[in-house]
Amino acid sequence: MSNVPPIESVVATLVAEHPLFDAHVDALQRQLDLGHDLGVAGPGQFDLERGRRAGLGAVVLVCWCDPGYIRPERGGAFARTVALLEQAHVLARRHPARVLLAGNGADVERAHAGGRVAAIPGIEGGHSIEDSLDKLDWFFERGVRVMTLVWNNHLAWIRSCQDGAGPGIPEGLSEFGRGVVARMNELGMLVDLSHAGERSFYDTLDCSAHPVMASHSGCKALHDHPRNLNDAQLRALAARDGVVGIVFHPGFLDAAAREEEARVRASDAYKALGGGDDTLTFTRQSELMQRTASPLPLARLLDHVCHAAAVAGVAHVGIGSDYDGILRGPQGLEHAGCYDRLVDGLLGRGFGHDEVRAILGGNMRRAFAAATGAGTRAGAGAELIPLVAS
Ligand SMILES: [Zn+2]
């Protein structure tokens, strides 16, 4: 008989002692628009119950405001973001034994010690602050600890990674944009550079006083997609002690998978699901995509983790699934109940136990603690201004 423990017990021990940190999840809009409770198992790609069973210890729950809401007749970006943020508070109030809204690294450790998931409210897209540092402060006081500076829509103070920037859009970060980064540093918010243009990326690294992350991106060397980071960016991020969260979206990870998704999106069956509520449409189209597109093997995601680790160093790689913001996951990582399969996959690529712990949680915990613990308002996690009545 061998003394080597079975792989199942190695995985269970690794995730129980060192919970995973998912740096980007988009599920709040399902709870707001469709009434789904993210504290119980299913439907959709992400919920705390399936995640916790698969080893999740901390998650950034982002408020993604569809730019369509910027229009005054739809209420504006700030109001939509407030409604999404309120859902994070609802979740914590509804499931106090399972979730803790975490404001800093100490809160994350406190959640782990109590067997709870640390939920970190985030904002995806600087349009949510409507060009106002007062609104940024307002969000911070109500729990927001991460902001992705820009989404796919360019802003007057920062360029996105997408084409089509018109006149008036800066090459990178404007003076006001530098002020946003400085204020985030001062408050204790983690800056997220996924979706940022290349010049915006470097401008932010230049002016941020604390480590930053790219929460949900892949490696451009493996798939030349505008949302991915090239090797020079990976090295620059590492040089500032930042972390890249490898995204689960097959269309970012692999050129053939992207073509396959375009094929499904062009199908009559896919188009027939459109037309109603945007979140309902997205959820139904995601189910169709997951079911009908030819699967992307999990090995391809591991290729991106290995490449990022080789270029930036193991200490600068994490995970950022983008669950419920992506149309499907790779084979074997279809939903939050599958996180623990990454442990087996990473061990199979030759990473040691300490390296697996770092990639799946430790590195992001370090970046989050560094950015939030350094602010003037450090410790505010336990003193949030409530968004829902007790
Ligand atoms: Zn995104």
Side-chain angles (χ1 to χ4, degrees), residues 41-170:
Q45 294 169 342
F46 179 88
D47 56 75
L48 293 169
E49 185 51 34
R50 282 180 296 176
R52 196 168 66 147
R53 278 193 243 131
L56 184 72
V59 57
V60 178
L61 294 175
V62 299
C63 307
W64 171 70
C65 172
D66 187 319
Y69 285 94
I70 294 173
R71 297 202 306 272
E73 62 270 28
R74 292 192 70 186
F78 178 75
R80 169 72 177 173
T81 308
V82 171
L84 286 162
L85 176 58
E86 188 171 29
Q87 292 305 314
H89 287 245
V90 166
L91 184 65
R93 289 289 176 90
R94 197 182 275 161
H95 301 286
R98 291 183 183 179
V99 59
L100 175 76
L101 290 186
N104 53 36
D107 284 347
V108 171
E109 301 310 323
R110 197 155 59 88
H112 292 176
R116 293 188 281 179
V117 175
I120 300 160
I123 287 175
E124 182 173 25
H127 51 287
S128 289
I129 65 167
E130 296 183 337
D131 301 330
S132 162
L133 295 185
D134 288 344
K135 285 177 178 162
L136 180 65
D137 289 1
W138 193 96
F139 281 126
F140 177 87
E141 287 163 359
R142 289 156 184 82
V144 173
R145 292 295 182 274
V146 172
M147 187 164 78
T148 315
L149 296 182
V150 63
W151 190 66
N152 291 334
N153 51 315
H154 304 281
L155 303 178
W157 52 272
I158 182 170
R159 184 177 294 225
S160 147
C161 65
Q162 304 294 342
D163 291 336
I169 301 298

Side-chain angles (χ1 to χ4, degrees), residues 26-50 61 83-84 86-92 94-95 98 277-287 323-324:
D26 246 311
L28 289 175
Q29 61 215 344
R30 275 201 300 108
Q31 187 169 291
L32 174 62
D33 296 333
L34 307 181
H36 296 170
D37 180 352
L38 301 181
V40 300
Q45 294 169 342
F46 179 88
D47 56 75
L48 293 169
E49 185 51 34
R50 282 180 296 176
L61 294 175
L84 286 162
E86 188 171 29
Q87 292 305 314
H89 287 245
V90 166
L91 184 65
R94 197 182 275 161
H95 301 286
R98 291 183 183 179
D277 173 85
D278 289 347
T279 304
L280 184 59
T281 294
F282 186 83
T283 302
R284 287 178 173 164
Q285 288 177 333
S286 303
E287 288 161 3
Y323 276 142
D324 286 320

Side-chain angles (χ1 to χ4, degrees), residues 24 124 151 195 216 227 322:
H24 196 91
E124 182 173 25
W151 190 66
H195 289 277
H216 59 304
R227 283 278 290 98
D322 205 4

Side-chain angles (χ1 to χ4, degrees), residues 311-374:
V311 173
V314 171
H316 305 287
V317 185
I319 56 168
S321 66
D322 205 4
Y323 276 142
D324 286 320
I326 57 179
L327 285 166
R328 60 170 179 151
Q331 191 169 33
L333 272 181
E334 293 85 357
H335 55 75
C338 310
Y339 283 120
D340 52 358
R341 293 190 189 155
L342 286 167
V343 177
D344 198 6
L346 292 172
L347 291 172
R349 292 296 180 103
F351 291 105
H353 289 193
D354 286 347
E355 293 175 322
V356 172
R357 292 180 188 118
I359 292 168
L360 295 182
N363 294 333
M364 281 296 181
R365 279 202 298 279
R366 182 188 73 238
F368 179 70
T372 55

Side-chain angles (χ1 to χ4, degrees), residues 211-351:
V212 306
M213 69 168 168
S215 66
H216 59 304
S217 294
C219 302
K220 203 167 255 187
L222 301 188
H223 179 204
D224 187 6
H225 188 288
R227 283 278 290 98
N228 290 338
L229 303 181
N230 61 39
D231 287 357
Q233 287 177 295
L234 290 171
R235 280 190 281 267
L237 194 63
R240 303 299 304 270
D241 205 24
V243 182
V244 57
I246 299 298
V247 69
F248 290 8
H249 179 36
F252 294 166
L253 298 173
D254 188 85
R258 191 183 185 191
E259 284 173 23
E260 171 67 358
E261 286 161 13
R263 184 188 67 75
V264 175
R265 273 202 299 271
S267 69
D268 291 341
Y270 185 91
K271 289 179 188 164
L273 296 173
D277 173 85
D278 289 347
T279 304
L280 184 59
T281 294
F282 186 83
T283 302
R284 287 178 173 164
Q285 288 177 333
S286 303
E287 288 161 3
L288 180 74
M289 184 66 80
Q290 190 78 63
R291 208 170 55 243
T292 60
S294 75
L296 181 76
L298 178 55
R300 187 60 174 159
L301 185 149
L302 297 173
D303 290 345
H304 282 255
V305 173
C306 290
H307 181 83
V311 173
V314 171
H316 305 287
V317 185
I319 56 168
S321 66
D322 205 4
Y323 276 142
D324 286 320
I326 57 179
L327 285 166
R328 60 170 179 151
Q331 191 169 33
L333 272 181
E334 293 85 357
H335 55 75
C338 310
Y339 283 120
D340 52 358
R341 293 190 189 155
L342 286 167
V343 177
D344 198 6
L346 292 172
L347 291 172
R349 292 296 180 103
F351 291 105

